[in-house]
Amino acid sequence: MLHFARWAGLAGMLLAAGVLLFRRLVWRPVTSRSEMPDAVEKRFAARSRPLLVGAWVASTGATLVALLIEPGYAQVDAVRFGLVVLPLGAVLATETRSPDHGPTAALLEAASVAGLVLSAALTGHVRGSSPLVPNLAAAAIHVGGAAAWGGGLVTLLVAALPSARALSGGRRVALLAPVVARFSNIAVVAVAVAVVVASGVYSAWVEVRTLGGLTDSTYGLVLLAKLGALVPILALGAVNNRWMTRRMVRAAASGSSEATAIVMLRRLVAWEVALLGILVGLTAFLLSLSPPGRSL
Ligand code: HEM
């Protein structure tokens, strides 16, 4: 029960923060520059909002379960509950009354992302680690990068790509190419992947310490399995970044309608998302195991 709640909670927190970051850093900068038909904006909102609500429900429920049944961390779990429920709840409540993209909304969204990231970081062994401040900072950076990357991929797949179906072939590519390029290249993935890998390696060193710890403990083996799941995800990401995105950008520049490229991109992103779900499941398992570095 606690294991499933951890998985649902981590997935929910990464997704909620990822949707907020994708909307602010990828979707709105691109769509505000182009003449965006209302139908596309409406479809994007109609698809991204249920993602946000679902992620809020999952992370709130999981944090509540942890608060009720996890022994020993009641105070931390109470703080995590507040960090998840309040800021994102306020974003959802204000958006229901009137959609606002101004500075107040940006501040509220930033507070939500910070709350979700900190709450997810406080799920792990970092809670009992020393020195707490650098270890917690590394965990928060790890989760922030994972949310921008993993949560962003889900938003691309479930909200951004389908919302452009309201447009005809050539116009669809013209809208999607800059969205995919911005997500894949500059704003998110290039930074997020480096940040996730560097902070993950730091946390792995804190929790494992020796090569023997990596191969002789269940914790080490599950961590290796997590790295094993990461390899195909990185390979798929590289294919998308190197070939699919460039193909779409070229098609957009020449005004052609590259329907096959969009279909292939959607399939590859769906595989990336499925593998990320497994990777987050392995991470949730990792959190319930005893790290070998602690017994040294
Ligand atoms: C080189 C790659 C990576 C390494 C070495 C790594 C390693 C780690 C380690 C050691 C932890 C701490 C677990 C604990 O508390 O015992 C962790 C936590 C976590 N990882 Fe990773 N990870 C990597 C990639 C990823 C990726 C790609 C994602 C998802 C997109 C991810 C998501 C998470 C999450 C959500 C947590 C839980 C938060 C926390 O307690 O820090 N990791 N990772």
Side-chain angles (χ1 to χ4, degrees):
M1 170 76 165
L2 188 58
H3 177 64
F4 176 74
R6 276 208 186 109
W7 179 82
L10 284 181
M13 288 178 244
L14 295 181
L15 178 58
V19 173
L20 293 173
L21 289 169
F22 186 95
R23 273 191 341 189
R24 199 42 84 172
L25 301 177
V26 179
W27 184 258
R28 283 182 192 146
V30 172
T31 55
S32 63
R33 277 201 308 260
S34 54
E35 297 266 307
M36 186 53 49
D38 257 8
V40 175
E41 277 299 358
K42 279 194 183 133
R43 272 176 176 238
F44 181 78
R47 286 178 163 266
S48 56
R49 194 176 157 77
L51 273 185
L52 210 50
V53 174
W56 183 73
V57 171
S59 40
T60 302
T63 329
L64 196 61
V65 168
L67 182 60
L68 295 176
I69 68 174
E70 197 177 29
Y73 286 109
Q75 279 172 349
V76 180
D77 285 337
V79 172
R80 289 180 50 233
F81 185 70
L83 288 171
V84 168
V85 174
L86 299 176
L88 185 54
V91 169
L92 290 170
T94 44
E95 280 186 1
T96 309
R97 271 186 274 123
S98 72
D100 166 27
H101 303 165
T104 317
L107 221 68
L108 215 50
E109 286 170 25
S112 298
V113 172
L116 290 158
V117 163
L118 204 56
S119 179
L122 282 167
T123 320
H125 289 102
V126 77
R127 290 184 290 198
S129 78
S130 157
L132 179 65
V133 175
N135 293 352
L136 182 58
I141 289 169
H142 192 61
V143 175
W149 179 23
L153 269 176
V154 178
T155 318
L156 179 69
L157 180 71
V158 177
L161 294 178
S163 69
R165 278 193 205 133
L167 303 175
S168 61
R171 290 188 71 206
R172 194 191 306 177
V173 176
L175 161 72
L176 287 179
V179 170
V180 173
R182 191 172 169 90
F183 175 73
S184 180
N185 251 342
I186 356 157
V188 189
V189 169
V191 180
V193 173
V195 156
V196 168
V197 171
S199 54
V201 169
Y202 173 81
S203 296
W205 174 74
V206 168
E207 302 300 349
V208 179
R209 298 282 170 169
T210 64
L211 213 57
L214 202 56
T215 49
D216 299 343
S217 67
T218 315
Y219 186 98
L221 294 174
V222 175
L223 184 57
L224 287 177
K226 176 174 166 168
L227 295 182
L230 186 64
V231 174
I233 300 174
L234 289 179
L236 287 170
V239 171
N240 279 339
N241 187 273
R242 295 274 117 191
W243 286 287
M244 304 317 299
T245 308
R246 289 179 189 188
R247 207 167 133 182
M248 285 177 67
V249 170
R250 273 199 307 271
S254 66
S256 74
S257 63
E258 258 284 28
T260 7
I262 299 177
V263 172
M264 276 177 74
L265 178 84
R266 197 185 311 128
R267 282 199 192 133
L268 293 177
V269 172
W271 274 105
E272 272 189 86
V273 167
L275 288 167
L276 273 170
I278 295 173
L279 186 144
V280 174
L282 288 167
T283 301
F285 188 27
L286 208 55
L287 303 188
S288 60
L289 298 169
S290 184
R294 297 297 166 94
S295 47
L296 292 176

